[in-house]
Amino acid sequence: MMREDDIRNASARRRNLLFLTQRFLADFGFYQAAEALKNEARLPAEEYELCDNIDLDSIYLEYASYYHLKFGKYPKIVRKLKPTVKVEVSSKTKSKTKNTLTHTTSATQAELPPVEPVSNPGDLELTVKKVESLSTIGSATTLVPTSSSSTTNIVGDENRTAALIRLQEIEHPAGTGTAADGLLSQQDWQNLAELVKTTIMRDELKLSWTDMCGNASAMEVVKEAVLTPLKYPQLFANGLRPWKSVLLHGPPGSGKTLLAKILYAETRNQVTFFNVTSSVVVSKWRGESEKIMRILFHMAQKHAPSVIFFDEIEGLTSRRDRPSDHESSKRFKNELLQLLDGMEQQTGGVFILASSNLPWDIDDAFLRRFEKKLLVQLPNPIERAILIGKQLPITLSVSKEQIELLVRISEHFTGDEIRLACKEIAMQIVRRATRACKPNERTEEAVPLQRAFEQIKPLSLKLMKRHLQWQEGHGS
């Protein structure tokens, strides 16, 4: 037996559905039907009224969006019945058929009058389409107009036609197929497109491939994915496609973001570069984050060749089986998965570049989408010596023995940690220039150099071993 709470909830649900239906009929011009429903259902209009932020149309749109995110397609609500009566209209009977649809009769069922045979099969009128659409709502063989509602029938036909058109727009969105520009036809989508445009980088960075010390394999893969198709498009004319997505992982400061900056600087006038951050794609409004991601990929395809760079992507692609994940987060991840998977079927030049400090926190489904997963290595002794020589102040004279000492101290240092140590040395020179120094301090050059490197505690001692193990099991 049903509990009292279940009975109360069922009664409230039935009442809410009736209020929604009554408002829907009134909004679309079915005033007599709305009034009849109100009286027959005995809706307590004096006690309740429908909230202004909800209606049947918005509920339908929300369900269609949810269904598309879950199953990859829009729901099919109605289907067309097989017609049992064929209506043939010629140019000679145009006015006769039109009058038949709006003519009033006293009988409860009126048969369609016979018409003359079609002399030209191409002369079909729009009235036939209206008859077919009406047959899916009512009976396929009868039309029941009343003498007092001919004008209401015409208005009702227009409203039903508008509803069918909107249903077709939902089931077949303009963002697919040849009408891809229709995705931005609505104002709210245009506002989100303006937000996505802010992620396009336009800064002038003076960087080159020579600024990246080490990690030659990662640079080669990135060049193969972006530069090679631009220089040698004929190599990819016979079905061969360049790398579509690359994941860079390594300890913080190893040079992942620097590689992305160099790629942007080297291809600034040839490639559209999208620098995506969580503050742009994550929205507090329901369903807006998924729209932003769809617009992002849509604009990247329109402005191809393009690069979409996700920095610290583990924040957006964490595991989906965590109990703490909100429903909106799961919908966003599902949308991103579909967009990344769809990229494999696209022929446009869109390259996905992502970086992560914690690749083991990324969901396995996202890892599968990345064709290459590369570990950004720490600099070796030769590369550390080159970095130290570049980062030290040019006014400071350093001997070969001092460089060798700094190279030994900087073992397990990332490139950014070497930069911080050299910056500390430069700041020591600034401090000496801004305060009175003792005479014996000027001769002790080796002690500040060594001290600046020794005070850096490399983070890679904890993380690099785990990155190596993950690369052996998941890398490519």
Side-chain angles (χ1 to χ4, degrees):
M1 298 180 63
M2 296 181 62
R3 296 182 304 175
E4 184 179 354
D5 293 342
D6 296 335
I7 296 175
R8 188 184 301 110
N9 293 335
S11 177
R13 185 167 62 251
R14 176 179 174 274
R15 179 200 63 203
N16 295 339
L17 289 173
L18 291 173
F19 269 108
L20 287 169
T21 306
Q22 194 265 344
R23 172 66 65 83
F24 179 82
L25 292 173
D27 290 344
F28 280 83
F30 303 99
Y31 303 110
Q32 295 181 1
E35 188 65 24
L37 176 62
K38 178 181 176 181
N39 296 332
E40 185 175 356
R42 298 179 181 179
L43 295 179
E46 64 281 355
E47 298 180 14
Y48 299 97
E49 66 175 357
L50 196 65
C51 297
D52 56 357
N53 62 343
I54 192 68
D55 57 78
L56 195 61
D57 189 54
S58 63
I59 293 177
Y60 178 86
L61 294 176
E62 282 286 339
Y63 172 74
S65 176
Y66 158 77
Y67 192 94
H68 181 267
L69 288 175
K70 186 174 182 180
F71 300 105
K73 60 181 180 180
Y74 285 94
K76 200 169 185 179
I77 306 298
V78 297
R79 60 181 179 180
K80 191 174 181 180
L81 294 175
K82 294 182 180 180
T84 57
V85 175
K86 295 183 179 180
V87 181
E88 296 180 348
V89 182
S90 64
S91 59
K92 296 180 181 181
T93 59
K94 174 181 178 182
S95 59
K96 187 175 182 179
T97 306
K98 184 175 181 181
N99 293 333
T100 303
L101 292 175
T102 57
H103 186 66
T104 59
T105 60
S106 58
T108 58
Q109 294 185 348
E111 297 181 355
L112 293 175
V115 296
E116 299 179 4
V118 180
S119 59
N120 184 6
D123 294 336
L124 294 180
E125 302 297 333
L126 182 62
T127 310
V128 179
K129 298 182 180 179
K130 287 190 175 183
V131 171
E132 293 179 354
S133 64
L134 290 173
S135 66
T136 62
I137 300 173
S139 173
T141 58
T142 60
L143 295 174
V144 193
T146 58
S147 58
S148 62
S149 60
S150 60
T151 305
T152 306
N153 287 337
I154 297 176
V155 176
D157 293 346
E158 294 178 353
N159 292 330
R160 282 191 288 269
T161 303
L164 291 174
I165 293 175
R166 184 163 51 193
L167 174 64
Q168 185 178 8
E169 291 177 353
I170 295 175
E171 294 181 348
H172 306 283
T176 60
T178 57
D181 292 337
L183 179 67
L184 306 181
S185 59
Q186 300 179 4
Q187 184 62 39
D188 56 340
W189 289 79
Q190 293 177 7
N191 296 336
L192 296 179
E194 293 297 326
L195 178 63
V196 172
K197 288 181 182 179
T198 61
T199 64
I200 301 178
M201 291 190 63
R202 297 180 177 87
D203 300 334
E204 294 185 4
L205 299 181
K206 296 181 180 180
L207 296 172
S208 63
W209 297 112
T210 57
D211 295 321
M212 189 71 184
C213 192
N215 293 293
S217 60
M219 285 194 297
E220 286 300 323
V221 172
V222 173
K223 289 180 181 180
E224 288 176 358
V226 181
L227 296 181
T228 304
L230 295 177
K231 294 182 179 180
Y232 309 102
Q234 66 276 9
L235 298 178
F236 303 93
N238 299 323
L240 177 64
R241 290 183 293 178
W243 303 114
K244 285 294 184 181
S245 53
V246 172
L247 174 65
L248 304 175
H249 69 96
S254 55
K256 303 181 294 296
T257 306
L258 176 62
L259 180 57
K261 291 181 179 180
I262 294 174
L263 175 63
Y264 161 71
E266 290 285 350
T267 60
R268 184 172 181 269
N269 297 323
Q270 300 172 295
V271 173
T272 307
F273 197 96
F274 294 85
N275 183 25
V276 182
T277 58
S278 300
S279 60
V280 175
V281 299
V282 177
S283 174
K284 66 178 181 179
W285 303 110
R286 179 182 177 89
E288 192 166 279
S289 299
E290 297 92 305
K291 292 181 180 180
I292 293 174
M293 292 305 303
R294 183 166 292 276
I295 292 176
L296 171 65
F297 280 80
H298 172 77
M299 293 182 62
Q301 294 173 8
K302 283 297 180 181
H303 295 81
S306 57
V307 175
I308 302 178
F309 175 59
F310 293 95
D311 198 6
E312 311 296 344
I313 195 173
E314 69 272 6
L316 301 175
T317 59
S318 57
R319 297 186 179 275
R320 294 175 293 169
D321 56 356
R322 298 187 307 177
S324 59
D325 267 7
H326 191 266
E327 181 65 26
S328 60
S329 176
K330 295 179 181 179
R331 293 199 313 269
F332 170 79
K333 294 173 185 177
N334 291 337
E335 178 72 13
L336 181 56
L337 279 172
Q338 294 176 11
L339 293 172
L340 290 174
D341 195 39
M343 293 301 300
E344 298 176 1
Q345 308 300 329
Q346 298 291 337
T347 57
V350 180
F351 174 62
I352 308 297
L353 180 63
S355 67
S356 174
N357 296 328
L358 306 170
W360 42 84
D361 287 345
I362 300 178
D363 191 84
D364 293 337
F366 285 100
L367 292 177
R368 189 195 66 82
R369 264 67 173 184
F370 289 100
E371 297 179 333
K372 300 291 287 185
K373 294 173 277 290
L374 306 175
L375 172 61
V376 180
Q377 299 281 356
L378 299 179
N380 57 36
I382 298 177
E383 294 166 354
R384 292 201 301 271
I386 296 174
L387 288 174
I388 292 173
K390 288 183 177 180
Q391 298 292 337
L392 285 177
I394 58 175
T395 58
L396 182 63
S397 59
V398 183
S399 63
K400 181 180 179 181
E401 291 75 13
Q402 290 175 324
I403 293 292
E404 293 176 354
L405 175 62
L406 297 181
V407 169
R408 289 195 301 270
I409 297 176
S410 61
E411 188 178 3
H412 303 298
F413 276 29
T414 63
D416 192 62
E417 289 167 345
I418 293 177
R419 180 190 65 84
L420 292 177
C422 294
K423 186 175 182 179
E424 175 62 26
I425 295 174
M427 293 305 298
Q428 289 178 3
I429 298 177
V430 173
R431 296 187 195 107
R432 289 193 175 194
T434 55
R435 70 171 182 262
C437 301
K438 297 180 181 180
N440 58 352
E441 287 186 356
R442 298 181 181 179
T443 59
E444 297 178 358
E445 294 291 343
V447 175
L449 293 176
Q450 182 176 354
R451 186 186 307 161
F453 274 76
E454 287 177 347
Q455 69 182 10
I456 299 295
K457 307 301 179 183
L459 297 175
S460 61
L461 290 175
K462 301 178 180 179
L463 295 176
M464 194 60 191
K465 184 178 180 180
R466 190 171 182 182
H467 278 281
L468 289 171
Q469 293 176 351
W470 191 89
Q471 180 67 18
E472 293 178 0
H474 301 84
S476 58

